[in-house]
Amino acid sequence: MVTKKIIMGSDHAGLSLKLKVIEHLNERGIEVVDVGTYTADSCSYPDYAIALCKKIQAGEAELGILVCGTGIGMSIAANKHNGIRAACCSDTFSARMTRMHNNANVLCFGERVVGAGLACDLADIFIDTEYLGGRHEARVQMLADIEAAN
Ligand code: RB5
């Protein structure tokens, strides 16, 4: 993928890992917009999921990455937004497949679950893998239909 800019966000529990992934992506020449949190003070993960999803919805970037303790709260919050398909992944196969088959646009992972090396691999694979379209398109459209109907 030719994505040169992505959005990232975390709560306090994901801050340290987020900063390591941002450094890694910057070294790759990828610009990262960090929507916060910026300090280790306790905060609420939905606030940062909302901030990131608004930017994806506005077209500021195609892809985003959210980090919390587990990645789960962030993925639940992100998936409540129209047009957001968030996947919580802690293995590289899932990070690749969720781009190829689900056209996921937000990757979530947990600082209490994955180490920095794996997190950087997850981010790289998610950013570098293209959606396949084709037979997956009708199914991804069904996800949008669920949003519209509920
Ligand atoms: C914060 O303690 C923790 O609950 C949060 O980071 C996340 O793991 C929630 O899903």
Side-chain angles (χ1 to χ4, degrees), residues 11-14 42-43 45 67-76 110 112:
D11 67 357
H12 59 288
S42 184
C43 61
Y45 58 84
V67 193
C68 62
T70 60
I72 297 170
M74 284 294 197
S75 62
I76 294 171
R112 296 169 182 165

Side-chain angles (χ1 to χ4, degrees), residues 30-49:
I30 295 170
E31 178 190 350
V32 179
V33 175
D34 182 359
V35 298
T37 190
Y38 305 115
T39 74
D41 297 340
S42 184
C43 61
S44 298
Y45 58 84
D47 285 333
Y48 302 95

Side-chain angles (χ1 to χ4, degrees), residues 60-128:
E60 205 171 303
E62 289 176 31
L63 301 178
I65 300 176
L66 287 165
V67 193
C68 62
T70 60
I72 297 170
M74 284 294 197
S75 62
I76 294 171
N79 276 319
K80 297 195 178 297
H81 292 77
N82 283 331
I84 299 298
R85 294 171 299 280
C88 183
C89 299
S90 52
D91 68 276
T92 54
F93 179 78
S94 297
R96 180 177 298 108
M97 295 305 286
T98 200
R99 284 289 304 131
M100 291 170 67
H101 285 199
N102 313 125
N103 198 14
N105 49 12
V106 176
L107 171 68
C108 306
F109 47 71
E111 181 174 326
R112 296 169 182 165
V113 181
V114 300
L118 177 53
C120 291
D121 280 357
L122 293 170
D124 285 345
I125 287 166
F126 188 76
I127 290 167
D128 294 341

